Amino acid sequence: MKAWQFVGTDKPLELNEVEEPHAGPGEVVVDVKASGVCHSDVTALDDPGWMALFQHGLPRTMGHESAGVVSEVGEGMDHWEVGDRVGLAPVMSDGDALGYGKWDGGFAAKLRATDDNLVRLPDEVPFDLGAMATDAGLTAYHAIMTAGGAKEGMRVGVIGLGGLGYIGARCAVLAGAEVYGAEINPETQKLADEIGLAGVADSIDAFKDKDLQLIVDYAGFGTTTAAGIETLGEFGTLVQVGMGKLEATINTYPIIINQLTIKGSKSGTKEDLAGIYEIMKSGQLNPPVNHISHGEIPEAIDKLRKGGVIGRFIAMYE
């Protein structure tokens, strides 16, 4: 089968012929039906700091957002059957990650998976959304619902309304929260009514008068983190998810005076993935998707590198 593989920093993905996987003990093989392209794929290709994740050697088939159908069941995996629809949480219990460590990812027609990351995909959730949910959805949901504790009646701010922020904001709205969004892209701002926002602006500090109890920063460009701290109400919580920049200059005065809490959040659990599948099952969460073919994955990565993309690129397989 053909696989798009990472071969080193500052090198394009290579389309290589690789052997089809087979299920060993404790494993299944999944026929990939959809695989998302993430901005972290861009960073992995461009930033030498990410080489540490590829400690099991190269080349490695990338693609950490996948959904598909079980096609082979290994020893000890009788609770799964051929034909089961599944999504794949990208991070294993040992910290290894699909498409980076020893587990090849979904930029190929088949992959191996284990109970560590297998989650049943409801029939009502299409494969494209099932794939998106495994990273963009899982990460967004975990940050705002699990780490942030968004709930009915809470006043919530969301910074960045792109792939993750759209999902996080919508989950909070559906939970009954009053949600305000910050987004610099005017085209993305137009999604405010679709998400159900109470207000949208270029910067979250436009909502200083709303006494926000929770702000989730899905952008992470330093200035966004600083603005979140300045905007929170007393005893508020900032959840940091975005990694647009890895440094921020912040004012400690509001942290002390308003007794703020700052949390970090990355990825999520199988339980988070099951939770967002339940929301998607209701039909009330439909983030924008751009369908591409397997052959268009490198082109999608280039577009993400340039910026301005609205919606998630999802490669659809036969």
Side-chain angles (χ1 to χ4, degrees), residues 75-95:
E75 180 183 343
M77 296 291 279
D78 295 341
H79 46 289
W80 294 101
E81 297 181 357
V82 171
D84 283 347
R85 303 172 85 249
V86 293
L88 300 161
V91 180
M92 308 293 185
S93 58
D94 62 1

PDB file of all heavy atoms in Angstrom, residues 75-95:
ATOM      1  N   GLU A  75      -5.184 -11.874  18.478  1.00  0.00           N
ATOM      2  CA  GLU A  75      -5.403 -12.683  19.668  1.00  0.00           C
ATOM      3  C   GLU A  75      -5.701 -11.794  20.877  1.00  0.00           C
ATOM      4  O   GLU A  75      -5.056 -10.760  21.089  1.00  0.00           O
ATOM      5  CB  GLU A  75      -4.149 -13.512  19.940  1.00  0.00           C
ATOM      6  CG  GLU A  75      -4.231 -14.414  21.162  1.00  0.00           C
ATOM      7  CD  GLU A  75      -2.920 -15.148  21.416  1.00  0.00           C
ATOM      8  OE1 GLU A  75      -2.078 -15.209  20.498  1.00  0.00           O
ATOM      9  OE2 GLU A  75      -2.752 -15.623  22.550  1.00  0.00           O
ATOM     10  N   GLY A  76      -6.726 -12.177  21.648  1.00  0.00           N
ATOM     11  CA  GLY A  76      -7.079 -11.432  22.840  1.00  0.00           C
ATOM     12  C   GLY A  76      -7.947 -10.213  22.582  1.00  0.00           C
ATOM     13  O   GLY A  76      -8.208  -9.438  23.507  1.00  0.00           O
ATOM     14  N   MET A  77      -8.410 -10.045  21.357  1.00  0.00           N
ATOM     15  CA  MET A  77      -9.207  -8.868  20.999  1.00  0.00           C
ATOM     16  C   MET A  77     -10.602  -9.273  20.522  1.00  0.00           C
ATOM     17  O   MET A  77     -11.197  -8.616  19.666  1.00  0.00           O
ATOM     18  CB  MET A  77      -8.489  -8.051  19.925  1.00  0.00           C
ATOM     19  CG  MET A  77      -7.168  -7.469  20.381  1.00  0.00           C
ATOM     20  SD  MET A  77      -7.355  -6.153  21.610  1.00  0.00           S
ATOM     21  CE  MET A  77      -7.748  -4.761  20.539  1.00  0.00           C
ATOM     22  N   ASP A  78     -11.129 -10.338  21.114  1.00  0.00           N
ATOM     23  CA  ASP A  78     -12.422 -10.870  20.681  1.00  0.00           C
ATOM     24  C   ASP A  78     -13.596  -9.937  20.960  1.00  0.00           C
ATOM     25  O   ASP A  78     -14.701 -10.153  20.452  1.00  0.00           O
ATOM     26  CB  ASP A  78     -12.693 -12.225  21.361  1.00  0.00           C
ATOM     27  CG  ASP A  78     -11.701 -13.292  20.939  1.00  0.00           C
ATOM     28  OD1 ASP A  78     -11.057 -13.102  19.883  1.00  0.00           O
ATOM     29  OD2 ASP A  78     -11.557 -14.298  21.658  1.00  0.00           O
ATOM     30  N   HIS A  79     -13.370  -8.886  21.776  1.00  0.00           N
ATOM     31  CA  HIS A  79     -14.435  -7.904  22.036  1.00  0.00           C
ATOM     32  C   HIS A  79     -14.595  -6.950  20.852  1.00  0.00           C
ATOM     33  O   HIS A  79     -15.496  -6.109  20.852  1.00  0.00           O
ATOM     34  CB  HIS A  79     -14.153  -7.131  23.320  1.00  0.00           C
ATOM     35  CG  HIS A  79     -12.749  -6.649  23.450  1.00  0.00           C
ATOM     36  ND1 HIS A  79     -11.684  -7.491  23.684  1.00  0.00           N
ATOM     37  CD2 HIS A  79     -12.220  -5.397  23.385  1.00  0.00           C
ATOM     38  CE1 HIS A  79     -10.560  -6.790  23.757  1.00  0.00           C
ATOM     39  NE2 HIS A  79     -10.860  -5.517  23.563  1.00  0.00           N
ATOM     40  N   TRP A  80     -13.725  -7.074  19.856  1.00  0.00           N
ATOM     41  CA  TRP A  80     -13.873  -6.326  18.602  1.00  0.00           C
ATOM     42  C   TRP A  80     -14.179  -7.310  17.488  1.00  0.00           C
ATOM     43  O   TRP A  80     -13.741  -8.464  17.516  1.00  0.00           O
ATOM     44  CB  TRP A  80     -12.586  -5.550  18.269  1.00  0.00           C
ATOM     45  CG  TRP A  80     -12.282  -4.464  19.252  1.00  0.00           C
ATOM     46  CD1 TRP A  80     -11.381  -4.509  20.275  1.00  0.00           C
ATOM     47  CD2 TRP A  80     -12.899  -3.183  19.330  1.00  0.00           C
ATOM     48  NE1 TRP A  80     -11.404  -3.335  20.984  1.00  0.00           N
ATOM     49  CE2 TRP A  80     -12.311  -2.504  20.418  1.00  0.00           C
ATOM     50  CE3 TRP A  80     -13.894  -2.536  18.575  1.00  0.00           C
ATOM     51  CZ2 TRP A  80     -12.686  -1.212  20.787  1.00  0.00           C
ATOM     52  CZ3 TRP A  80     -14.253  -1.252  18.944  1.00  0.00           C
ATOM     53  CH2 TRP A  80     -13.660  -0.600  20.032  1.00  0.00           C
ATOM     54  N   GLU A  81     -14.936  -6.836  16.492  1.00  0.00           N
ATOM     55  CA  GLU A  81     -15.307  -7.685  15.362  1.00  0.00           C
ATOM     56  C   GLU A  81     -14.980  -6.975  14.060  1.00  0.00           C
ATOM     57  O   GLU A  81     -14.987  -5.734  13.982  1.00  0.00           O
ATOM     58  CB  GLU A  81     -16.808  -8.008  15.389  1.00  0.00           C
ATOM     59  CG  GLU A  81     -17.256  -8.811  16.598  1.00  0.00           C
ATOM     60  CD  GLU A  81     -18.748  -9.113  16.538  1.00  0.00           C
ATOM     61  OE1 GLU A  81     -19.418  -8.635  15.588  1.00  0.00           O
ATOM     62  OE2 GLU A  81     -19.234  -9.818  17.444  1.00  0.00           O
ATOM     63  N   VAL A  82     -14.686  -7.772  13.040  1.00  0.00           N
ATOM     64  CA  VAL A  82     -14.503  -7.208  11.704  1.00  0.00           C
ATOM     65  C   VAL A  82     -15.781  -6.463  11.318  1.00  0.00           C
ATOM     66  O   VAL A  82     -16.889  -6.984  11.484  1.00  0.00           O
ATOM     67  CB  VAL A  82     -14.198  -8.320  10.683  1.00  0.00           C
ATOM     68  CG1 VAL A  82     -14.214  -7.774   9.254  1.00  0.00           C
ATOM     69  CG2 VAL A  82     -12.843  -8.953  10.982  1.00  0.00           C
ATOM     70  N   GLY A  83     -15.624  -5.254  10.852  1.00  0.00           N
ATOM     71  CA  GLY A  83     -16.775  -4.430  10.496  1.00  0.00           C
ATOM     72  C   GLY A  83     -17.115  -3.365  11.525  1.00  0.00           C
ATOM     73  O   GLY A  83     -17.908  -2.459  11.224  1.00  0.00           O
ATOM     74  N   ASP A  84     -16.543  -3.440  12.731  1.00  0.00           N
ATOM     75  CA  ASP A  84     -16.803  -2.415  13.742  1.00  0.00           C
ATOM     76  C   ASP A  84     -16.261  -1.061  13.275  1.00  0.00           C
ATOM     77  O   ASP A  84     -15.134  -0.954  12.791  1.00  0.00           O
ATOM     78  CB  ASP A  84     -16.126  -2.778  15.072  1.00  0.00           C
ATOM     79  CG  ASP A  84     -16.878  -3.849  15.846  1.00  0.00           C
ATOM     80  OD1 ASP A  84     -18.035  -4.134  15.503  1.00  0.00           O
ATOM     81  OD2 ASP A  84     -16.294  -4.409  16.803  1.00  0.00           O
ATOM     82  N   ARG A  85     -17.078  -0.018  13.437  1.00  0.00           N
ATOM     83  CA  ARG A  85     -16.650   1.352  13.113  1.00  0.00           C
ATOM     84  C   ARG A  85     -15.920   1.926  14.319  1.00  0.00           C
ATOM     85  O   ARG A  85     -16.407   1.841  15.453  1.00  0.00           O
ATOM     86  CB  ARG A  85     -17.856   2.236  12.773  1.00  0.00           C
ATOM     87  CG  ARG A  85     -18.699   1.723  11.635  1.00  0.00           C
ATOM     88  CD  ARG A  85     -19.986   2.527  11.464  1.00  0.00           C
ATOM     89  NE  ARG A  85     -19.773   3.725  10.652  1.00  0.00           N
ATOM     90  CZ  ARG A  85     -19.821   4.967  11.096  1.00  0.00           C
ATOM     91  NH1 ARG A  85     -20.036   5.207  12.384  1.00  0.00           N
ATOM     92  NH2 ARG A  85     -19.641   6.000  10.276  1.00  0.00           N
ATOM     93  N   VAL A  86     -14.747   2.527  14.093  1.00  0.00           N
ATOM     94  CA  VAL A  86     -13.942   3.012  15.205  1.00  0.00           C
ATOM     95  C   VAL A  86     -13.285   4.351  14.881  1.00  0.00           C
ATOM     96  O   VAL A  86     -13.031   4.687  13.728  1.00  0.00           O
ATOM     97  CB  VAL A  86     -12.823   2.001  15.577  1.00  0.00           C
ATOM     98  CG1 VAL A  86     -13.410   0.721  16.139  1.00  0.00           C
ATOM     99  CG2 VAL A  86     -11.908   1.717  14.394  1.00  0.00           C
ATOM    100  N   GLY A  87     -13.030   5.123  15.944  1.00  0.00           N
ATOM    101  CA  GLY A  87     -12.134   6.261  15.893  1.00  0.00           C
ATOM    102  C   GLY A  87     -10.916   5.923  16.716  1.00  0.00           C
ATOM    103  O   GLY A  87     -10.952   5.024  17.574  1.00  0.00           O
ATOM    104  N   LEU A  88      -9.820   6.629  16.485  1.00  0.00           N
ATOM    105  CA  LEU A  88      -8.558   6.281  17.124  1.00  0.00           C
ATOM    106  C   LEU A  88      -8.011   7.476  17.907  1.00  0.00           C
ATOM    107  O   LEU A  88      -7.524   8.444  17.320  1.00  0.00           O
ATOM    108  CB  LEU A  88      -7.541   5.844  16.073  1.00  0.00           C
ATOM    109  CG  LEU A  88      -7.975   4.622  15.249  1.00  0.00           C
ATOM    110  CD1 LEU A  88      -7.191   4.530  13.965  1.00  0.00           C
ATOM    111  CD2 LEU A  88      -7.802   3.364  16.065  1.00  0.00           C
ATOM    112  N   ALA A  89      -8.107   7.406  19.234  1.00  0.00           N
ATOM    113  CA  ALA A  89      -7.471   8.425  20.057  1.00  0.00           C
ATOM    114  C   ALA A  89      -5.968   8.374  19.788  1.00  0.00           C
ATOM    115  O   ALA A  89      -5.384   7.287  19.769  1.00  0.00           O
ATOM    116  CB  ALA A  89      -7.764   8.173  21.532  1.00  0.00           C
ATOM    117  N   PRO A  90      -5.317   9.515  19.556  1.00  0.00           N
ATOM    118  CA  PRO A  90      -3.952   9.495  19.043  1.00  0.00           C
ATOM    119  C   PRO A  90      -2.862   9.151  20.049  1.00  0.00           C
ATOM    120  O   PRO A  90      -1.783   8.705  19.664  1.00  0.00           O
ATOM    121  CB  PRO A  90      -3.746  10.919  18.505  1.00  0.00           C
ATOM    122  CG  PRO A  90      -4.703  11.755  19.273  1.00  0.00           C
ATOM    123  CD  PRO A  90      -5.877  10.881  19.572  1.00  0.00           C
ATOM    124  N   VAL A  91      -3.119   9.336  21.367  1.00  0.00           N
ATOM    125  CA  VAL A  91      -2.059   9.134  22.359  1.00  0.00           C
ATOM    126  C   VAL A  91      -2.307   7.856  23.149  1.00  0.00           C
ATOM    127  O   VAL A  91      -3.392   7.636  23.679  1.00  0.00           O
ATOM    128  CB  VAL A  91      -1.976  10.341  23.319  1.00  0.00           C
ATOM    129  CG1 VAL A  91      -0.866  10.129  24.353  1.00  0.00           C
ATOM    130  CG2 VAL A  91      -1.708  11.623  22.534  1.00  0.00           C
ATOM    131  N   MET A  92      -1.275   7.007  23.210  1.00  0.00           N
ATOM    132  CA  MET A  92      -1.354   5.743  23.941  1.00  0.00           C
ATOM    133  C   MET A  92      -1.102   5.972  25.432  1.00  0.00           C
ATOM    134  O   MET A  92      -0.620   7.022  25.844  1.00  0.00           O
ATOM    135  CB  MET A  92      -0.312   4.759  23.397  1.00  0.00           C
ATOM    136  CG  MET A  92      -0.347   4.569  21.894  1.00  0.00           C
ATOM    137  SD  MET A  92      -1.862   3.751  21.363  1.00  0.00           S
ATOM    138  CE  MET A  92      -1.524   3.539  19.604  1.00  0.00           C
ATOM    139  N   SER A  93      -1.372   4.964  26.247  1.00  0.00           N
ATOM    140  CA  SER A  93      -1.200   5.096  27.686  1.00  0.00           C
ATOM    141  C   SER A  93       0.256   5.265  28.085  1.00  0.00           C
ATOM    142  O   SER A  93       0.562   5.806  29.151  1.00  0.00           O
ATOM    143  CB  SER A  93      -1.791   3.875  28.407  1.00  0.00           C
ATOM    144  OG  SER A  93      -1.171   2.685  27.955  1.00  0.00           O
ATOM    145  N   ASP A  94       1.186   4.803  27.243  1.00  0.00           N
ATOM    146  CA  ASP A  94       2.609   4.964  27.552  1.00  0.00           C
ATOM    147  C   ASP A  94       3.175   6.280  27.016  1.00  0.00           C
ATOM    148  O   ASP A  94       4.381   6.525  27.066  1.00  0.00           O
ATOM    149  CB  ASP A  94       3.426   3.788  27.000  1.00  0.00           C
ATOM    150  CG  ASP A  94       3.369   3.671  25.477  1.00  0.00           C
ATOM    151  OD1 ASP A  94       2.704   4.513  24.829  1.00  0.00           O
ATOM    152  OD2 ASP A  94       3.987   2.740  24.941  1.00  0.00           O
ATOM    153  N   GLY A  95       2.290   7.143  26.473  1.00  0.00           N
ATOM    154  CA  GLY A  95       2.720   8.436  25.957  1.00  0.00           C
ATOM    155  C   GLY A  95       3.104   8.419  24.496  1.00  0.00           C
ATOM    156  O   GLY A  95       3.349   9.475  23.902  1.00  0.00           O
TER     157      GLY A  95
END
